[in-house]
Amino acid sequence: MTLHWRGLGSGLVVVTLAAGSAAAQQVDPRLERLDSVTRPIVAALVDSARATALPTEPLVQRALEGATKRAAADRIVAAVRRLALDLGHARDALGPTTSPPELAAAAAALRAGAPPAILTELRRLRRESLTVPLAVLTDLVASGVPVDSAAAAVLSLAAKSRDTDLVEFRRAVERDIALGAPPASATAAAAAVTAAAVQVNAGARQQRPGRP
Amino acid sequence: MAARHPWAAFVTAAWSLLGVRAPAAQATGTVDVGLSSVRYDGFLPSAAASVSPAVRWEQPTGTLTARGTYLRFESGHRSLQGLLAGSLLVRPPVRGWRGELGASLGASRYLDFASFWHATADARLHVLGADRGVWIGGTGGRTSFGSAARPVAVAAIGAWARRSHVMLAASATRSFVGDTAYSDLVSTAHTLRGALAFDASVGARFASRGGGRGVFGEASATLALGERTALFLSGGRYPTDPVSGSVAGRYVSGGVRLRLANPAPLVSRNSAPTASPRRMPDDGDPVASVRLEVLPRPNGAVRVVLYTANPAADVELAGDFTDWQPRPLRRTADGMWETVLPIPSGTHRLNVRIDGGAWIVPAGLTRAADDFGDEVGIVAVP
């Protein structure tokens, strides 16, 4: 396993800064799966997150994912550090009372390209958990829907829709895309509790492939 | 030799399209290259080769399509067609209603003497439901064959419905092109089954004055070979279109569709399984046709089912709900692999491994870069 000096250096700084609290905290036994170099750095990052009231479980899981995939130490450290930053940004956008699953979902949405302002607006609009709306937002972007279109659709549904409605909405978009609707149009149509934007742009005269 | 220039230009354009990334998130491009046997009404049958590049730009509020076709017939004659069409969706203050304004510009040319152009504008009003809808619209404009432009007026009404994996639509139109008038009834069907898409249409022209009459129908099948390549087979009979200048004919065509990739998002919805790029070439392809479904149960547990077309002796799953410890899946009597796990509500990351190979993302999951140089599947459990 290789370790870049840069990653090691910055990791050691974290270790040093967090030494006091790290000494006081019991290292998560699951981190025993990491090698002896990576483990203390990740443990320090986890402790640092705990000290700032960020959820630590996603960080542990990210490190374990790297271990299972036999990733290099510097990659594991970088991944955990990046996730910690994303979780922090997610909390900045959603507020200090955000639940750990919401923060994890928000971090994924930010990583997919959702701007923090969208998360803030989502929090303002919806009293219930944001976990599913954020997952739907991430999934729409993954389906090829531009971030602004996906965000507009989720925001339009967030205030009144239940989680099951949102999941059904995502399925409707996926189905329409599979049936040939453009992702952005499918999203806009489904968000308006409509359907795929079929039969639009009649002037393009849908033509069969190969028709001479 | 002069006749080769357009061919070369189209081939060059096609390859340039393939080499250039779409300029916007929803811009897509395709190039159809095919061979046809065609018999236009009143002409002898002929073989033809065609190249048809198309670019489509989509936004939630509108769409724009540019398409061209170069045809070279057995005789050496050639035809060129080009079309630019767009529409803008507007939302009236009534829930479920949509307005649409569109325009279409097109031209075609056969040999050096027969040339058409048309310029039309149309308006439609859609009433959209969850799985069905109706629309009504009208089109006006001009079309020209040679030098004399003729007015175009079309009134149309249509409906569509979706049932499971099948989309059905029907429309009725009454068209006036100069002193030509005709009515069309057309129904279409579209379905997608895995990598195979079927399209079919049947129609009838009647109450015609100078526009021909009779029954027509077309069908096509498209088989996706990957994200960027597909094979197509199509055929049928289509009617004369006095607006665009196409002549009625029968045809059978086959060819390949090459598709420009969308600009890659940071994560993508997975339509095909992916394997680690670190997989060794002699590993074979054990991940073909691997699909995973996550099915929440009322008791809070989640059933994970994996379908694979290839024989496997051992299938494992690892995710943030297993502490990334590989968990074996159990083989069922019908050849699937499954396990039931207590997965809490939220978004989760997971991978699958077959016969101790690389960690893969099966189809059916959202795919994302995993920070470790590979990919991870993401699933939301409500």
Side-chain angles (χ1 to χ4, degrees), chain A residues 68 82 139 142 144 176 178, chain B residues 26 162 192 218 269 324 366 371:
Chain A
T68 296
R82 189 163 87 155
D139 206 50
D176 292 345
Chain B
Q26 290 302 299
R162 182 176 53 211
L192 182 68
E218 294 177 82
R269 185 76 192 172
W324 285 97
T366 298
D371 290 328

Side-chain angles (χ1 to χ4, degrees), chain A residues 96-187:
Chain A
T97 59
T98 307
S99 70
E102 287 177 314
L103 282 182
L110 289 173
R111 185 53 53 192
I118 297 297
L119 275 57
T120 305
E121 181 66 6
L122 201 54
R123 167 58 78 209
R124 189 184 69 78
L125 288 172
R126 187 175 174 89
R127 293 179 179 177
E128 295 86 359
S129 168
L130 298 183
T131 303
V132 171
L134 289 166
V136 169
L137 175 61
T138 306
D139 206 50
L140 288 174
V141 176
S143 301
V145 180
V147 168
D148 54 350
S149 302
V154 171
L155 287 173
S156 71
L157 294 171
K160 296 179 180 176
S161 300
R162 299 166 300 174
D163 281 356
T164 52
D165 296 331
L166 288 161
V167 171
E168 179 53 36
F169 156 70
R170 185 189 66 78
R171 285 186 185 138
V173 173
E174 187 179 357
R175 181 176 55 207
D176 292 345
I177 292 172
L179 286 170
S185 300
T187 304

